[in-house]
Amino acid sequence: MKLVSIIKISLIAVLLFSYSDYAYAQLKKTAKIEKVKSFTNGSVVLNKTIMNNVEVYSVTLPNNSQYYQPVIFYLGNKDEMIQNLKDLSSSLETAQKGETFSFSACGKNYQLSFSKTLGQKCFKVWEPINTSVDFGRFYKATIDDILSFYSEE
């Protein structure tokens, strides 16, 4: 009888110790997110995410609706980001009311539409999965400020 009890206790102890190792093995750092700089009085944040030694840049745009989370707009690695921002800025120079654009970066697809808010040119940016009110505004002035920040580095 004692031998059976000892075996049961030993088995339970082994299971408990192996479970803690199993649970610990599930936690793995996958990325590091850094705030690079904020723009437009702090409402737009440029972020750098590092995954597997690859840097990916994104901007966090305030959402049009107070009921939704901010819109995360991925721009690519540093070189891609700078080129994409130049393309977005030049597109806003010539865009007309009612025009929409497709944009892809980092495996994400976005829908952009030209807009003017209080005379300021911007893109309304919709995330891949959204509702009609779930968008952020990316202003030309903000785009140009980010480009200016990187030209000074």
Side-chain angles (χ1 to χ4, degrees), residues 73-115:
F73 186 45
Y74 286 92
L75 297 166
N77 65 34
K78 188 174 181 178
D79 293 333
E80 292 169 341
M81 174 195 62
I82 291 170
Q83 185 58 53
N84 286 333
L85 290 172
K86 287 178 181 178
D87 292 346
L88 291 168
S89 181
S90 64
S91 294
L92 282 170
E93 289 287 335
T94 58
Q96 299 292 316
K97 183 178 179 178
E99 290 184 332
T100 61
F101 303 84
S102 293
F103 180 85
S104 296
C106 302
K108 303 260 186 195
N109 299 312
Y110 298 91
Q111 187 72 31
L112 284 63
S113 66
F114 175 78
S115 181

